[in-house]
Amino acid sequence: MVREVMDVPAAHIRADPPYRDITRMLAREQAGALPVVEAEDHVVGVVSESDLLAKDAFEASGHRPGPIGRLRERRLHGKARGETVADLMTSPVITVLPGATVAEAAWLSALYRLKLMPSPTGRAGWSASSAGTPCSRP
């Protein structure tokens, strides 16, 4: 079961810090993704290194698409203009229940190409499933 292999609590980030803080937090936690929580500790999204790539690529390239390109790449360009965690995170978040099997968590991770799946701990907190193997960083 997922609950048997999780460490609690998971490292997390609030939705309001600026873009540069995400990079620092990911490096400090040695994580590729973090759950994003609101004031009541409800998970509202996940922010990952890949969420930051659109912004970095957009800024580095100077690429400005025409009207058709903007329609086709709306989500990518929306993230590229983002300035806070809330702007850049992926939402809604897919979670895994503590009673799920590790195989079920791995399947969800592979199916949705997820880097992290938060899991409610039953307390005022969350753990996280990373790369299909449920775990968290204290």
Side-chain angles (χ1 to χ4, degrees):
M1 294 295 175
V2 168
R3 79 171 60 82
E4 296 167 353
V5 295
M6 293 187 310
D7 292 327
V8 179
H12 60 273
I13 192 166
R14 299 287 178 193
D16 55 345
Y19 163 75
R20 297 289 177 209
D21 288 357
I22 303 167
T23 305
R24 286 187 207 102
M25 180 82 166
L26 288 171
R28 184 177 72 229
E29 297 298 330
Q30 298 179 342
L34 293 168
V36 179
V37 298
E38 61 185 8
E40 298 82 30
D41 285 336
H42 294 123
V43 175
V44 294
V46 170
V47 67
S48 70
E49 293 166 334
S50 62
D51 291 323
L52 306 179
L53 288 176
K55 183 168 186 65
D56 289 340
F58 185 81
E59 289 175 356
S61 72
H63 174 69
R64 303 293 184 264
I68 294 173
R70 279 194 298 269
L71 285 174
R72 189 183 55 195
E73 301 169 4
R74 184 179 346 185
R75 184 171 167 257
L76 177 66
H77 294 292
K79 284 193 180 211
R81 291 188 303 273
E83 295 297 327
T84 66
V85 173
D87 298 333
L88 297 166
M89 71 182 184
T90 299
S91 182
V93 65
I94 295 173
T95 61
V96 60
L97 296 174
T101 66
V102 173
E104 289 168 330
W107 175 251
L108 281 174
S109 180
L111 182 64
Y112 292 103
R113 303 182 67 180
L114 303 173
K115 291 181 178 58
L116 181 120
M117 284 185 297
S119 179
T121 63
R123 299 185 293 278
W126 291 82
S127 183
S129 170
S130 178
T133 304
C135 64
S136 70
R137 299 184 188 282

